């Protein structure tokens, strides 16, 4: 098949289909590959497209060895996700330089199928799935074309046949998806480098770390409440607790006695299901404070929820929290000492101010109130782009710049409290969330990352104090976008205030959430739940395996029966197919065509048996003969022939 363009003639043959399939398979990886591998792919593809002479075997072996050495030099390994994918792409590309036979092309096609799966190592989103589905169609089309060597079949027919084949596989795929026994945990492990670069909270906090994270609109987790969601000022999602300050950054010190992690709760509980995005850390997010924990987790000594293993895949769990609680009424000496420790150097102005408060305040509660009043009444500003701070970061923030994000306020507040003798620590996590009315859940993004403080007060235990709320109360009530002044670098999603854009964004997020819950998150629990709704009460993997085999077997029987019933060759002549349909209609009327009977004789015999059908059978048979033996039957005549046979209804 040739297509003529302005400058050249393009021939769409099996070689072009093969090159297009490989190019489309490699294309999404191009931005992740070293530039020299991308250039190698383009160069080899161009050579095969213009069909230059293939290199000698010794040169090809040398090139393959040099390519493997180059990949090792780029990644310092040949294993792992990135290096493994790069090696697979390079070897597939070099395979084209030795492809001379049909077998070589078939090998390249099957490597393309395998390479296609590697895209899921980087993304499992809906657009990725749709693109890979289209890619399967193109590769399958190429595979069909390769199995018809020497014949030029129209691309439209090839694509249609590939679509039919893939469509026939859909019922089998659905049965496998529904009934294949799920086991707890992954069936196979991802390479170690697949978990690098995941976005989320860190186990240390420096000035600027939270504000940098808040500029990302990526989803951190989604929450569906059993009842009404808590008020915005109660939506504190507890994450890592930081109680060690080295003069520059906050981190987690050695854990105090875990027996201290006891709470007394009051008020009504809040039950919810949280779907957490992977972040390659062990902590889980929960509404402050969690009381009923998900499986394979525990409550840490600082009331943070910890998983037994790092969260490396999307995790869904149920939890129960109490917004009103009393925690740590009787802490141990080690916990109090950890919460009072400060470096012996630096930030002298802050220490002096805290010392003055301690000497004049009647109790620790008044010290807390004075600090919050300072933030509330003096000229402090809430900003995502505060100036850089030097060695005495707390002094420079409190007395000079006075511009900062939540980590500046939480960190300086805790420093003030400790300098005044009040036990305090930094708590990081998320605050707020965006309701999605279409899905009836709350979306918490990385832009909702937050840091606040906890102080220990006599007879009240650990009490949450949010200094940011004193400076920018709208941050807590209405979210980040409402609290920041104009011109701040908000994430794109936070700046969308158009009603229709908001509806479109929420609809898309609902679709993504359903995809995550029912496709990517279709685990054992989901499987049992769905099958029980469909009326299948499954108790073990053996019953699932039997149901799977029965379902696939039933589908194969249905397909086999349908194919036997039609008995139409895949590549049959359309004129003959329509005429056979005409003969079947007459057979149902009692007039069966004999195997050795020609169309003219059959029409004549039909006219003798059924004079009322003479006109229609004669005209249809004449049209069939004209089309059957014409050198180039027109498509309009073929359509007319089909319409007449369709309208023919012998009684």
């Amino acid at each position: 098949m040739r297509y003529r363009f302005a400058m050249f003639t393009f021939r769409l043959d099996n070689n072009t289909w093969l090159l297009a399939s490989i190019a489309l398979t490699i294309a999404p990886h191009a931005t992740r590959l070293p530039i020299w591998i991308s250039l190698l792919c383009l160069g080899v593809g161009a050579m095969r497209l213009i069909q230059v002479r293939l290199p000698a075997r010794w040169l090809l072996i040398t090139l393959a060895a040099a390519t493997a050495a180059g990949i090792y030099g780029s990644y310092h390994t040949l294993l792992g996700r990135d290096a493994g994918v790069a090696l697979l792409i390079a070897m597939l590309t070099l395979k084209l330089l030795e492809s001379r036979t049909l077998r070589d092309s078939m090998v390249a096609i099957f490597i393309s199928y395998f390479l296609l799966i590697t895209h899921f190592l980087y993304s499992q989103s809906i657009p990725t799935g749709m693109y890979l589905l289209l890619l399967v169609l193109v590769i399958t089309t190429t595979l069909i074309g390769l199995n018809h060597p020497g014949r030029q079949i129209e691309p439209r027919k090839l694509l249609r046949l590939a679509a039919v084949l893939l469509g026939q596989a859909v019922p089998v795929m659905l049965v496998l998806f529904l009934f294949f026994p799920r086991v707890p945990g992954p069936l196979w492990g991802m390479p170690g480098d697949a978990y690098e670069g995941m976005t989320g909270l860190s186990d240390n906090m420096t000035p600027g770390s939270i504000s940098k994270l808040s500029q990302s609109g990526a989803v951190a987790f989604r929450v569906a409440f059993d009842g009404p969601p808590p008020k915005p000022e109660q939506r504190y999602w507890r994450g890592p607790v930081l109680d060690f300050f080295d003069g520059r950054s906050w981190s987690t010190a050695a854990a105090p006695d875990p027996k201290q992690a006891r709470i007394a709760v009051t008020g009504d509980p809040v039950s919810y299901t949280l779907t957490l995005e992977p972040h390659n850390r062990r902590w889980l997010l929960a509404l402050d404070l969690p009381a009923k924990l998900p499986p394979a987790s525990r409550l840490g000594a600082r009331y943070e929820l910890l998983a037994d293993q790092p969260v490396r895949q999307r995790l869904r769990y149920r939890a129960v929290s109490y917004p009103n609680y009393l925690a740590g009424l009787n802490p141990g000496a080690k916990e109090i000492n950890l919460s009072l420790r400060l470096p012996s150097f630096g930030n002298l102005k802050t220490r002096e101010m805290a010392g003055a408060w301690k000497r004049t305040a009647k109790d620790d509660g008044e010290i807390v109130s004075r600090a919050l009043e300072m933030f509330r009444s003096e000229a402090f500003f809430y900003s995502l782009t505060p100036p850089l701070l030097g060695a005495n970061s707390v002094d420079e923030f409190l007395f000079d710049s006075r511009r900062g994000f939540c980590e500046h306020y939480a960190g300086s507040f805790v420093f003030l409290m400790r300098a005044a003798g009040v036990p305090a620590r930094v708590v990081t996590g998320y605050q707020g969330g965006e309701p999605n009315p279409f899905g009836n859940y709350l979306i918490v993004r990385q832009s909702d990352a937050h840091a606040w403080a906890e102080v220990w007060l006599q007879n009240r235990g650990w009490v949450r104090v949010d200094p940011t709320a004193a400076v920018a109360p709208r941050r807590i009530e209405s979210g980040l976008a409402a609290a920041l002044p104009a011109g701040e670098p908000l994430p794109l999603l936070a700046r969308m205030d158009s009603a229709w854009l908001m509806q479109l964004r929420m609809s898309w997020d609902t679709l993504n959430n359903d995809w995550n819950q029912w496709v990517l998150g279709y685990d054992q629990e989901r499987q049992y739940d769905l099958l029980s709704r469909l009326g299948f009460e499954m108790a073990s993997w053996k019953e699932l395996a039997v149901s799977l085999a029965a379902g696939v077997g039933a589908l194969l029987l249905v397909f086999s029966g349908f194919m036997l019933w039609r008995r139409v060759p895949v590549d049959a002549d359309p004129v003959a197919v329509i005429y056979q349909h005409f003969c079947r209609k007459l057979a149902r009327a009692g007039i069966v065509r004999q195997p050795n009977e020609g169309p003219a004789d059959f029409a004549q015999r039909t006219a003798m048996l059924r004079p009322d059908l003479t006109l229609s059978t004669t005209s249809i048979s004449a049209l069939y003969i004209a089309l059957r033996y014409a050198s180039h039957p027109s498509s309009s005549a073929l359509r007319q022939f089909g319409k007449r046979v369709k309208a023919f209804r012998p009684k």
Side-chain angles (χ1 to χ4, degrees):
M1 183 65 61
R2 291 175 182 271
Y3 295 90
R4 186 174 296 280
F5 294 91
M7 300 296 294
F8 61 91
T9 299
F10 178 67
R11 182 183 176 85
L12 191 56
D13 54 11
N14 287 339
N15 180 60
T16 309
W17 274 107
L18 178 63
L19 293 177
S21 299
I22 295 175
L24 291 173
T25 306
I26 295 176
H29 285 302
T31 57
R32 297 185 281 262
L33 293 172
I35 185 65
W36 65 269
I37 296 182
S38 299
L39 294 176
L40 174 68
C41 298
L42 287 175
V44 172
M47 289 175 60
R48 291 314 310 261
L49 189 61
I50 60 177
Q51 299 184 356
V52 300
R53 184 178 180 183
L54 298 181
R57 182 168 294 277
W58 67 268
L59 180 58
L60 188 60
I61 294 174
T62 304
L63 185 58
T67 302
I71 292 174
Y72 186 85
S74 298
Y75 295 98
H76 307 292
T77 181
L78 293 178
L79 304 176
R81 181 189 61 173
D82 295 338
V85 170
L87 184 63
L88 189 60
I89 290 174
M91 294 301 111
L92 173 60
T93 302
L94 295 179
K95 179 66 181 173
L96 294 176
L97 292 179
E98 67 165 10
S99 294
R100 294 180 172 83
T101 65
L102 175 61
R103 176 186 173 280
D104 294 328
S105 299
M106 296 294 284
V107 170
I109 281 295
F110 287 118
I111 296 176
S112 298
Y113 276 122
F114 185 77
L115 183 61
L116 182 145
I117 301 173
T118 62
H119 291 289
F120 285 124
L121 298 178
Y122 296 91
S123 172
Q124 300 176 2
S125 64
I126 295 176
T128 300
M130 298 297 291
Y131 178 78
L132 296 186
L133 191 61
L134 177 64
L135 205 51
V136 169
L137 176 65
V138 175
I139 297 175
T140 305
T141 302
T142 306
L143 182 62
I144 295 171
L146 290 173
N147 281 278
H148 292 81
R151 291 183 58 187
Q152 286 299 319
I153 305 176
E154 290 184 14
R156 185 178 55 186
K157 292 184 178 178
L158 286 174
L159 284 168
R160 186 173 59 191
L161 181 55
V164 170
L165 288 175
L166 294 176
Q168 291 172 349
V170 169
V172 179
M173 179 192 71
L174 292 177
V175 170
L176 289 172
F177 179 80
L178 286 175
F179 291 101
F180 191 87
R182 262 63 176 178
V183 296
L187 290 175
W188 46 280
M190 293 274 283
D193 56 352
Y195 306 113
E196 295 177 357
M198 288 183 173
T199 305
L201 292 170
S202 173
D203 55 2
N204 64 74
M205 184 186 78
T206 55
S209 59
I210 301 290
S211 55
K212 182 179 179 181
L213 183 62
S214 293
Q215 296 179 39
S216 168
V219 174
F221 56 91
R222 296 177 176 89
V223 191
F225 294 96
D226 291 355
K231 298 177 181 177
E233 59 268 23
Q234 292 180 325
R235 296 174 191 168
Y236 281 85
W237 304 95
R238 192 180 187 90
V241 180
L242 314 177
D243 53 8
F244 177 74
F245 185 57
D246 63 1
R248 180 66 183 172
S249 62
W250 289 89
S251 59
T252 302
D257 186 359
K259 294 182 181 179
Q260 302 301 324
R262 296 173 180 171
I263 60 174
V265 296
T266 60
D268 295 329
V270 178
S271 302
Y272 51 94
T273 301
L274 192 147
T275 305
L276 180 64
E277 296 295 313
H279 53 70
N280 200 25
R281 307 281 185 170
R282 289 183 56 203
W283 53 74
L284 306 176
L285 277 302
L287 197 66
D288 213 5
L289 271 176
K292 184 178 180 181
L293 312 182
S297 68
R298 64 182 177 83
L299 199 61
R302 305 173 186 85
Y303 312 106
E304 65 272 49
L305 189 55
L306 299 172
D308 293 345
Q309 301 293 332
V311 181
R312 291 177 170 172
Q313 56 183 339
R314 193 170 288 104
L315 181 63
R316 184 179 61 249
Y317 53 87
R318 285 190 55 79
V320 177
S321 297
Y322 285 84
N324 301 312
Y325 59 86
L326 291 174
L329 288 174
N330 299 299
K334 181 179 179 182
E335 185 175 7
I336 293 298
N337 291 335
L338 285 173
S339 303
L340 288 170
R341 193 164 54 182
L342 283 176
S344 59
F345 56 88
N347 299 303
L348 298 180
K349 290 183 180 179
T350 304
R351 294 174 193 267
E352 182 179 348
M353 182 171 64
W357 287 354
K358 181 177 179 58
R359 287 191 295 275
T360 58
K362 60 181 182 182
D363 56 23
D364 291 349
E366 184 176 338
I367 295 175
V368 173
S369 299
R370 287 189 182 184
L372 293 178
E373 182 60 26
M374 179 187 70
F375 287 128
R376 189 178 297 115
S377 60
E378 297 185 18
F380 284 92
F381 303 95
Y382 188 58
S383 172
L384 268 173
T385 56
L388 296 177
L389 302 176
N392 295 300
S393 58
V394 179
D395 277 2
E396 292 175 27
F397 169 66
L398 290 179
F399 298 100
D400 297 327
S401 71
R402 295 197 162 192
R403 303 180 67 87
F405 201 59
C406 56
E407 69 265 36
H408 296 79
Y409 292 99
S412 60
F413 176 84
V414 172
F415 190 98
L416 265 172
M417 293 300 104
R418 290 188 177 188
V422 181
R425 57 194 182 192
V426 175
V427 183
T428 60
Y430 298 86
Q431 200 284 324
E434 186 180 21
N436 185 336
F438 299 106
N440 196 27
Y441 59 84
L442 202 68
I443 309 169
V444 180
R445 304 183 184 277
Q446 299 296 346
S447 55
D448 295 314
H450 193 51
W452 60 94
E454 277 184 345
V455 297
W456 187 87
L457 300 176
Q458 191 70 37
N459 298 325
R460 296 180 61 188
W462 288 105
V463 177
R464 181 175 62 229
V465 180
D466 192 348
T468 303
V471 179
R474 296 192 67 186
R475 164 66 182 86
I476 310 304
E477 299 165 358
S478 306
L480 180 64
L484 289 172
E488 292 282 346
L490 281 170
L492 177 63
L493 293 177
R495 283 179 279 168
M496 288 184 179
D497 52 0
S498 169
W500 71 270
L501 279 178
M502 181 70 73
Q503 289 186 355
L504 182 64
R505 183 160 62 89
M506 290 301 169
S507 300
W508 177 247
D509 191 85
T510 303
L511 185 62
N512 272 300
N513 186 51
D514 292 340
W515 171 265
N516 294 335
Q517 298 288 340
W518 290 103
V519 179
L520 301 180
Y522 188 67
D523 54 11
Q524 191 179 55
E525 179 185 352
R526 282 285 189 192
Q527 186 178 41
Y528 285 169
D529 180 46
L530 178 62
L531 292 179
S532 63
R533 293 186 190 182
L534 297 176
F536 295 93
E537 294 297 337
M538 304 296 176
S540 68
W541 67 269
K542 295 180 180 178
E543 292 175 326
L544 286 172
V546 171
S547 300
L548 176 65
V552 173
L555 285 174
L556 292 178
L557 287 175
V558 170
F559 287 147
S560 301
F562 181 73
M563 296 299 290
L564 290 173
W565 174 70
R566 288 194 63 187
R567 290 181 295 178
V568 176
V570 174
D571 201 18
D573 182 356
V575 178
V577 170
I578 297 174
Y579 184 71
Q580 288 170 8
H581 185 47
F582 167 71
C583 294
R584 284 197 296 272
K585 285 189 173 183
L586 283 174
R588 286 196 290 272
I591 308 174
V592 180
R593 183 190 176 199
Q594 301 301 316
N596 59 347
E597 194 172 24
D601 294 339
F602 183 48
Q604 186 175 4
R605 185 165 63 87
T606 303
M608 293 176 62
L609 296 174
R610 292 284 303 272
D612 59 309
L613 300 177
T614 301
L615 182 60
S616 55
T617 55
T618 302
S619 62
I620 289 175
S621 299
L623 191 53
Y624 167 68
I625 293 171
L627 287 169
R628 190 72 178 88
Y629 298 104
S631 56
H632 298 288
S634 65
S635 56
S636 60
L638 182 62
R639 285 196 298 273
Q640 181 63 26
F641 179 48
K643 288 181 180 177
R644 289 195 180 185
V645 172
K646 185 178 181 180
F648 179 65
R649 291 186 174 83
K651 297 180 181 177

